[in-house]
Amino acid sequence: MQIKTTVQMESQLAAQHLVGHLRESAPHPNAVATFSRVTVTYSHRDAGAVGESIAEFLINR
Protein backbone atom coordinates (compact mmCIF):
# COMPACT_ATOMS: atom_id res chain seq x y z
CA MET A 1 0.00 0.00 0.00
CA GLN A 2 1.35 3.40 -1.01
CA ILE A 3 0.64 6.63 0.86
CA LYS A 4 0.85 10.07 -0.71
CA THR A 5 1.40 13.19 1.41
CA THR A 6 1.48 16.77 0.14
CA VAL A 7 3.21 19.55 2.07
CA GLN A 8 2.76 23.20 1.06
CA MET A 9 5.87 25.25 1.81
CA GLU A 10 6.29 29.04 1.69
CA SER A 11 8.64 28.99 -1.29
CA GLN A 12 10.13 26.78 -3.97
CA LEU A 13 13.51 26.89 -2.23
CA ALA A 14 12.00 25.64 1.04
CA ALA A 15 10.25 22.85 -0.88
CA GLN A 16 13.54 21.79 -2.49
CA HIS A 17 15.26 21.75 0.90
CA LEU A 18 12.51 19.52 2.32
CA VAL A 19 12.92 17.10 -0.62
CA GLY A 20 16.67 16.96 0.02
CA HIS A 21 16.11 16.32 3.72
CA LEU A 22 13.63 13.53 3.01
CA ARG A 23 15.95 11.83 0.55
CA GLU A 24 18.76 11.86 3.13
CA SER A 25 16.83 10.83 6.22
CA ALA A 26 13.67 8.87 5.38
CA PRO A 27 13.65 5.31 4.06
CA HIS A 28 12.93 5.13 0.32
CA PRO A 29 10.59 8.08 -0.16
CA ASN A 30 9.73 9.34 -3.62
CA ALA A 31 9.74 13.10 -2.93
CA VAL A 32 9.14 15.68 -5.65
CA ALA A 33 9.02 19.48 -5.37
CA THR A 34 6.69 21.32 -7.73
CA PHE A 35 6.87 25.06 -7.14
CA SER A 36 6.31 25.39 -3.38
CA ARG A 37 4.52 22.05 -2.95
CA VAL A 38 6.21 18.78 -1.99
CA THR A 39 4.55 15.47 -2.81
CA VAL A 40 5.91 12.42 -1.03
CA THR A 41 4.93 8.85 -1.91
CA TYR A 42 6.02 6.01 0.39
CA SER A 43 5.11 2.60 1.72
CA HIS A 44 2.75 2.34 4.67
CA ARG A 45 5.59 0.57 6.50
CA ASP A 46 7.68 3.75 6.26
CA ALA A 47 4.92 6.14 7.35
CA GLY A 48 6.34 6.74 10.83
CA ALA A 49 9.84 7.49 9.59
CA VAL A 50 8.62 9.79 6.81
CA GLY A 51 6.31 11.68 9.19
CA GLU A 52 9.11 12.02 11.71
CA SER A 53 11.46 13.31 9.01
CA ILE A 54 8.96 15.95 7.86
CA ALA A 55 8.35 17.05 11.46
CA GLU A 56 12.10 17.20 12.17
CA PHE A 57 12.65 19.40 9.11
CA LEU A 58 9.85 21.79 10.06
CA ILE A 59 10.89 22.05 13.72
CA ASN A 60 14.59 22.66 12.97
CA ARG A 61 14.04 25.45 10.45
Side-chain angles (χ1 to χ4, degrees), residues 5-52:
T5 300
T6 302
V7 181
Q8 180 69 44
M9 301 299 291
E10 71 275 4
S11 68
Q12 185 174 4
L13 183 60
Q16 290 171 340
H17 284 162
L18 175 56
V19 167
H21 177 77
L22 286 168
R23 289 182 178 159
E24 291 174 1
S25 63
H28 312 294
N30 178 12
V32 178
T34 306
F35 299 106
S36 60
R37 179 172 288 152
V38 176
T39 303
V40 188
T41 306
Y42 49 93
S43 167
H44 68 282
R45 286 180 236 104
D46 298 328
V50 172
E52 184 178 325

